[in-house]
Amino acid sequence: MTTRTPNPIVEIGLLVYPGAQTSAVGGLVDLFEVANRIAGEQASSQLPVLRVSQWRFNPDSQRAERSTDSHAEADSRLVAVLVPPSLAGLPSSAELQPLAGWIREQHAAGATVGAVCLGAFFLAETGLLDGRTVTTHWTHAKALAERYPRLKVEADKPIVDDGDVITTAGLMAWAELGLRLVDRLMGPSIATHTARFLMVEHSDSAQACGSNFAPILSHGDAAVLRVQHWLQAGGAVDVSLAAMAERAGLEERTFLRRFRSATGLKPTEYCQHVRVGRARELLEFTNGTVDHIAWTVGYQDPGAFRSTFKKITGLSPSDYRRRFGVSAPAQPA
């Protein structure tokens, strides 16, 4: 009799802070439970089981600690930390700082961090958003930009998926954030079926052109992870193998071997995915020409950009914009 190998367990942590929207926390718990149920119907030992834990700040230990856990008996570490929205006023630095260090620790250990609406303030306090484009609810965009001037806040974007950091704008955007993670961890089919069961919308661009780039961050190689965070934060623009190896503190040949082993990609391929992900966002939400977008994401040769974009998404940049852009381009692309 063959013993079935148990499905791997991956843990998603929900940060429940004072004033956090309880409906969003409960909704995410339900969404991941639905995804687990749908995945379980596939009878596949390859699909992971999502362990959902809730974390609250303990003033005695000055750290976030698990308060509830869907699989308390499991041994796992966080692959993602999600910060829900709030209906309360803007959080003060005194409220944010105790949790900022913990979020930073989880990110440094390989967890993707995501925030809904006002939750972006928690991520901004960590410094992880410095130099990045982020989004939040339009009523708080000005305050976020003023308090954290190193951020580029674009509240007109419903979601900004930057690989290791995801921010969403609307109070109800927790559903799309949750589905993005289901897509990454279980695949687009499970995400689509979960959205259909819950009768919520899911990004058409992600379904039609493959998921947005979801880098492997849980490999445990600290030197490679340091480079990945650096590439994601800077958009992988104008970087060289020598610069990446230096950032990792490794000799180039050693870096190449360890990077590919950890991420499954060559450094050049990884950078292409980061750049194309940023380009998809610009094509969907801005009116810049394709040539200008190519330059913005780090391509001096627009032809090379078009070729790489089509290889990764299956569409030319112009076709992608026609299908998924929120507004027509300012001039022919």
Side-chain angles (χ1 to χ4, degrees), residues 108 149 236 306:
R306 285 175 167 84

Side-chain angles (χ1 to χ4, degrees), residues 292-306:
H292 178 72
I293 288 173
W295 178 82
T296 300
V297 301
Y299 285 88
Q300 301 301 315
D301 180 359
F305 165 71
R306 285 175 167 84

Side-chain angles (χ1 to χ4, degrees), residues 6-11 33 36 49-53 66-77:
N7 293 60
I9 294 177
V10 296
E11 183 176 0
E33 177 55 35
N36 275 334
V49 174
L50 304 182
R51 173 188 184 185
V52 185
S53 54
R66 286 187 184 90
S67 60
T68 62
D69 193 338
S70 65
H71 293 74
E73 75 289 349
D75 181 19
S76 62
R77 64 189 182 89

Side-chain angles (χ1 to χ4, degrees), residues 33-201:
E33 177 55 35
V34 169
N36 275 334
R37 190 170 69 191
I38 291 173
E41 294 170 354
Q42 306 305 309
S44 169
S45 62
Q46 301 302 311
L47 289 172
V49 174
L50 304 182
R51 173 188 184 185
V52 185
S53 54
Q54 296 180 36
W55 296 70
R56 288 178 168 82
F57 180 69
N58 184 335
D60 294 328
S61 65
Q62 290 293 299
R63 293 182 58 80
E65 298 178 353
R66 286 187 184 90
S67 60
T68 62
D69 193 338
S70 65
H71 293 74
E73 75 289 349
D75 181 19
S76 62
R77 64 189 182 89
L78 292 166
V79 298
V81 172
L82 306 185
V83 187
S86 172
L87 294 175
L90 295 179
S92 66
S93 292
E95 295 174 292
L96 298 172
Q97 286 174 357
L99 290 168
W102 180 80
I103 296 172
R104 248 191 328 266
E105 288 177 15
Q106 306 313 311
H107 180 262
T112 298
V113 293
V116 183
C117 187
L118 210 61
F121 282 79
F122 285 86
L123 300 191
E125 187 70 21
T126 67
L128 296 173
L129 304 187
D130 289 358
R132 301 196 190 215
T133 298
V134 302
T135 190
T136 190
H137 196 277
W138 63 272
T139 59
H140 303 307
K142 183 179 179 182
L144 183 65
E146 289 176 348
R147 188 183 295 187
Y148 304 100
R150 298 185 67 181
L151 278 58
K152 184 179 180 183
V153 181
E154 297 186 4
D156 58 324
K157 296 180 179 178
I159 186 167
V160 175
D161 186 342
D162 208 13
D164 59 335
V165 176
I166 308 172
T167 52
T168 58
L171 276 166
M172 302 303 291
W174 55 262
E176 178 57 24
L177 179 59
L179 289 168
R180 285 287 174 108
L181 283 179
V182 172
D183 193 312
R184 289 186 181 193
L185 298 170
M186 294 177 154
S189 177
I190 301 299
T192 299
H193 282 83
T194 300
R196 185 177 300 145
F197 180 87
L198 296 172
M199 298 183 70
V200 295
E201 293 185 3

